[in-house]
Amino acid sequence: MVLKSTRYEVIFDVPEKKIRLEELDHRLLDPEIWRDPAGLKAIQSERSGIAETLTLFNRICGLYDDLGVMLDLAGDMDGDDDQGIDDDIKAILADLNTLIKAVEKTHMLSGKDDEFSAFVEIHAGAGGLEAQDWAEMLLRMYLRWADQNGFEARIMDIASDEEAGIKGATIEIEGKWAFGYLKCESGVHRLVRISPYDSNNRRHTSFASIMVTPEVEQSIDIQIDDKDLRIDTYRASGHGGQHVNKTDSAVRITHLPTGIVVQCQNERSQHKNKAYAMKVLASKLYEREEDQLRQEQDAANSLKKEIAWGSQIRSYILHPYRMAKDHRTGLDVGNVDAVLDGDLNAFIDACLMQQTSGK
């Protein structure tokens, strides 16, 4: 039994990857590329990813052939010897399943920014206090997701409200592939529930938006001129701690040409807050350039929809029934409590698979 690999080679772009690997190897022979550290790092990173995918694919082909041999042996053996063969077949199938999932991951996370860490911005939308409480629930959800999946997460900035919830927050999710996994979370999220702030126990609908950007590496050329910046300091609030709240340690940076505003109040040191705010600004400017390129290819930019009715990517319904539903993929999950507790991988995988298949 031999693996008929032609179909799978097409699915995972194996011929194209082999050609690209040869091109990258040829470029690495050029002495000039070694004089450009940033360019060299990009080529080596791309080559490493392609080589990993091809290695996994070859291992799958080998295991598939081994499986065929074991099945042929099982057909020729007496019943007394079946148990040992069955165990070997089960072991091969388990290994195949693990490798196939690994190949699927490298195939789905093939964007040039997917391996980067991510910044996640949360903004309360239509719905007043309800929306602010919903924004805080989403903040907790993404912090839980990061913890469950081995990522480091920290709040960089948060705008709390005296009455309830948060008006907005920025968190850093640090770790390889964080942006690749979370990029599908950008958009409007809708909550339907009986309001805890309504004495009449009426049902309310609330909205909040999520914007995910890659944490770009310093090697990426993003030019930021000091004269284009307005830097303000102010007294931190919320989760900063006693020392932070008594000093003007928080930093707000306005990029005058684009109007982009970033701020950080997480650190005690004003210098550190400024450094982190500059990282967020660089990522925003990078994503802005990427977004402009995308708009040239597709005039409909779904990330800039109004945070209100008709623009949501996902709904979380707590009343009159309980369900979380993604409006892009059609996937719905009945255990909405687990979703709000960070169990997002089913939605993330479905969205990535949809993007990869081009549907």
Side-chain angles (χ1 to χ4, degrees), residues 73-137:
L73 285 174
D76 296 335
M77 297 187 72
D78 296 330
D80 294 339
D81 299 319
D82 283 352
Q83 185 58 50
I85 294 293
D86 287 347
D87 291 341
D88 290 339
I89 290 174
K90 289 177 182 178
I92 292 174
L93 288 173
D95 289 342
L96 273 172
N97 185 55
T98 299
L99 290 177
I100 288 172
K101 287 182 177 179
V103 172
E104 286 177 343
K105 189 198 79 168
T106 60
H107 186 56
M108 291 189 295
L109 299 178
S110 57
K112 64 186 182 69
D113 301 325
D114 284 354
E115 65 178 309
F116 294 159
S117 298
F119 292 115
V120 179
E121 290 183 60
I122 304 169
H123 297 282
L129 292 179
E130 280 287 330
Q132 291 175 187
D133 188 53
W134 172 223
E136 188 168 40
M137 291 170 65

Side-chain angles (χ1 to χ4, degrees), residues 3 9 12-15 17-18 21 25 46-64 95-96 98-104 106-107:
L3 171 63
E9 287 181 349
F12 293 112
D13 300 324
V14 170
K17 283 182 169 61
K18 289 180 178 178
L21 188 64
D25 285 338
E46 182 182 358
R47 188 196 182 284
S48 176
I50 293 174
E52 179 184 357
T53 300
L54 293 177
T55 298
L56 288 171
F57 183 80
N58 289 332
R59 289 176 62 191
I60 289 173
C61 291
L63 282 173
Y64 198 95
D95 289 342
L96 273 172
T98 299
L99 290 177
I100 288 172
K101 287 182 177 179
V103 172
E104 286 177 343
T106 60
H107 186 56

Side-chain angles (χ1 to χ4, degrees), residues 97-206:
N97 185 55
T98 299
L99 290 177
I100 288 172
K101 287 182 177 179
V103 172
E104 286 177 343
K105 189 198 79 168
T106 60
H107 186 56
M108 291 189 295
L109 299 178
S110 57
K112 64 186 182 69
D113 301 325
D114 284 354
E115 65 178 309
F116 294 159
S117 298
F119 292 115
V120 179
E121 290 183 60
I122 304 169
H123 297 282
L129 292 179
E130 280 287 330
Q132 291 175 187
D133 188 53
W134 172 223
E136 188 168 40
M137 291 170 65
L138 288 173
L139 172 63
R140 176 183 178 275
M141 182 179 77
Y142 288 113
L143 291 174
R144 290 289 184 101
W145 177 85
D147 181 64
Q148 293 167 14
N149 290 274
F151 293 98
E152 294 291 331
R154 65 189 194 88
I155 299 172
M156 298 189 65
D157 181 63
I158 189 165
S160 302
D161 187 88
E162 293 181 357
E163 294 187 68
I166 61 172
K167 296 177 181 178
T170 300
I171 56 178
E172 180 185 35
I173 310 291
E174 187 175 5
K176 192 172 184 179
W177 306 115
F179 177 72
Y181 286 120
L182 289 172
K183 62 186 179 183
C184 287
E185 294 299 296
S186 288
V188 177
H189 295 243
R190 169 178 172 249
L191 173 70
V192 180
R193 65 174 176 176
I194 298 296
S195 171
Y197 306 102
D198 189 332
S199 59
N200 295 318
N201 291 324
R202 290 174 295 188
R203 189 172 66 197
H204 285 246
T205 300
S206 308

Side-chain angles (χ1 to χ4, degrees), residues 7 16 39 47 76 103-104 140 159 171 184 191 201 210 241 290 299-300 303 305 311 322 331 338 351:
R7 176 189 173 200
E16 290 81 2
R47 188 196 182 284
D76 296 335
V103 172
E104 286 177 343
R140 176 183 178 275
I171 56 178
C184 287
L191 173 70
N201 291 324
I210 303 296
E290 292 293 301
L303 302 184
K305 292 180 179 179
S311 58
R322 303 180 70 82
L331 176 66
C351 184

